Amino acid sequence: MKVGILTIQSVNFGNRLQNYALQHVLEDYGCQVESLRRDGSIMGPLSSKAKYFKKCMSLLRHINDRNSLFRAFNNSFINFSNGTVTKEYISPGLLDSYSCFVIGSDQVWNPDFVFNSELEYLPMVASEKKIAYAASFGVSSIVSNRDETARLLNGICSISVRESAGSNIVRDLTGRDVAVVLDPTLLLGAADWEAVSVKPKGVACDQPYLFKYVLGNDVNNAKIEELAASRGIAIIDVMDKSLKIGPSEFVWLISHSDLVCTDSFHASVFALLHHKPLAIFERVSTDADMSSRFDTLCSNFGLVGHRSSESSFGPKSIFGTDWDDVDSRLAMLRESSRNWLACALESVARD
């Protein structure tokens, strides 16, 4: 069965890694898999062509920066469609070439993202050919365009979501009860991720270090520095744009770190996969509240005292994780999530 993945495509570590993981799992089921290319196609209208060549020239000018590492990761590990889908344009015949479409994972349905449109639900595709796997709204409730969102959701035969809040949203809008499943990155084990892991060049990572990845306002830097000082380790700050870090280097740095401090969902995921002490700092920004992602993650894996908002947050909790319990929970959740996806694929194949 030829499957097309519709997901976010951006210079974002977690997004690229979940795209790879979903492709990997679908291929495990014997599917031929491509991710629908979101932009940059020279087959599109003139505006798309201009955008494509502008990106190419930018890449040539900054061949040594981290954007080139993202491009290298995409070229090496992601199978993309030849045609393109955008809000305004879909390459002729592209959608007809797939037997099934998988929407997700990541925050494909976040209403606050500027790219968000009805395209993220593929309304032009028959319901029975669509699966949403671990799709995320990224928010706890849908306030506007509720009727339209309900209509689009009802146009998808099989839906699973990544967070409990997402399940509540679907139930609220449509009356449907949908499964909460694991993010695709968690469907692969630490050994699987070694296949894409690369030691970064020019990054001082041969001595013990704290992996810091804070996407929101860096208001907790003093606490993070205190944690590093208490362990006598250095800090590698992924937000330092002078560091040449792509998705492969991101995985390597987490897997070899002594402590992960982050407000990122996927950095937390890779810390758990590699049994790294984890300190989760609540995202501080002007964006919508995204804490529902961590509500589900910490609940799934029995993590108490790992979030800065908890009264029990501190070194004892951060460094005292029961990894046997985490692995046991992960094994059960991984099996149920894979089973859900397998059943959804079988349903499409029958139709």
Side-chain angles (χ1 to χ4, degrees), residues 1-135:
M1 184 160 62
K2 188 174 182 181
V3 177
I5 295 174
L6 180 74
T7 191
I8 304 169
Q9 291 166 17
S10 62
V11 182
N12 176 278
F13 299 109
N15 170 259
R16 294 297 77 224
L17 293 166
Q18 66 82 23
N19 193 169
Y20 167 78
L22 183 55
Q23 173 185 288
H24 189 290
V25 172
L26 289 169
E27 289 175 340
D28 283 347
Y29 291 131
C31 299
Q32 179 187 348
V33 187
E34 292 178 349
S35 291
L36 302 182
R37 194 181 298 274
R38 300 303 299 263
D39 60 11
S41 173
I42 59 174
M43 301 299 291
L46 185 62
S47 60
S48 294
K49 293 180 182 179
K51 189 175 182 181
Y52 174 77
F53 287 116
K54 182 178 180 181
K55 284 191 173 184
C56 287
M57 294 305 295
S58 176
L59 180 65
L60 289 173
R61 285 195 298 270
H62 304 286
I63 194 67
N64 293 320
D65 68 12
R66 65 174 60 187
N67 286 343
S68 68
L69 294 177
F70 274 83
R71 179 61 62 89
F73 181 88
N74 282 336
N75 290 339
S76 297
F77 299 112
I78 307 295
N79 304 322
F80 286 102
S81 63
N82 289 325
T84 302
V85 294
T86 71
K87 289 181 183 180
E88 302 83 14
Y89 176 84
I90 299 176
S91 295
L94 174 64
L95 300 183
D96 295 332
S97 63
Y98 299 96
S99 304
C100 173
F101 296 86
V102 179
I103 301 169
S105 175
D106 218 348
Q107 299 179 63
V108 289
W109 293 337
N110 189 320
D112 297 318
F113 284 177
V114 293
F115 71 81
N116 189 277
S117 73
E118 69 170 22
L119 174 66
E120 311 311 318
Y121 300 83
L122 291 176
M124 69 291 296
V125 174
S127 172
E128 63 272 13
K129 293 179 64 174
K130 291 184 290 187
I131 298 168
Y133 180 79

Side-chain angles (χ1 to χ4, degrees), residues 17 188-200 203 205-213 236 238 245-262 266-278 323:
L17 293 166
L188 305 186
D192 296 314
W193 285 110
E194 290 181 10
V196 303
S197 176
V198 175
K199 183 178 181 179
V203 179
C205 52
D206 291 327
Q207 301 297 322
Y209 61 88
L210 178 156
F211 179 96
K212 176 185 176 184
Y213 185 42
I236 293 179
V238 179
I245 302 172
S248 294
E249 292 77 11
F250 182 85
V251 174
W252 191 96
L253 285 170
I254 291 180
S255 67
H256 289 79
S257 68
D258 290 75
L259 169 62
V260 174
C261 291
T262 189
H266 282 107
S268 301
V269 162
F270 281 96
L272 294 176
L273 286 171
H274 292 93
H275 290 187
K276 299 300 174 181
L278 172 63
W323 293 115

Side-chain angles (χ1 to χ4, degrees), residues 97-205:
S97 63
Y98 299 96
S99 304
C100 173
F101 296 86
V102 179
I103 301 169
S105 175
D106 218 348
Q107 299 179 63
V108 289
W109 293 337
N110 189 320
D112 297 318
F113 284 177
V114 293
F115 71 81
N116 189 277
S117 73
E118 69 170 22
L119 174 66
E120 311 311 318
Y121 300 83
L122 291 176
M124 69 291 296
V125 174
S127 172
E128 63 272 13
K129 293 179 64 174
K130 291 184 290 187
I131 298 168
Y133 180 79
S136 174
F137 294 92
V139 295
S140 298
S141 62
I142 299 297
V143 178
S144 59
N145 299 319
R146 288 172 54 84
D147 291 343
E148 176 68 2
T149 303
R151 180 186 69 82
L152 293 168
L153 287 169
N154 279 326
I156 301 173
C157 184
S158 298
I159 296 178
S160 64
V161 292
R162 197 177 65 182
E163 292 96 23
S164 297
S167 177
N168 293 336
I169 287 173
V170 177
R171 185 184 303 110
D172 174 46
L173 293 177
T174 70
R176 297 167 63 180
D177 288 320
V178 299
V180 179
V181 296
L182 291 178
D183 185 88
T185 52
L186 284 162
L187 298 182
L188 305 186
D192 296 314
W193 285 110
E194 290 181 10
V196 303
S197 176
V198 175
K199 183 178 181 179
K201 296 179 180 178
V203 179
C205 52

Side-chain angles (χ1 to χ4, degrees), residues 309-323:
S309 58
E310 296 177 283
S311 60
S312 56
F313 177 78
K316 184 177 180 180
S317 298
I318 294 169
F319 293 96
T321 306
D322 183 344
W323 293 115

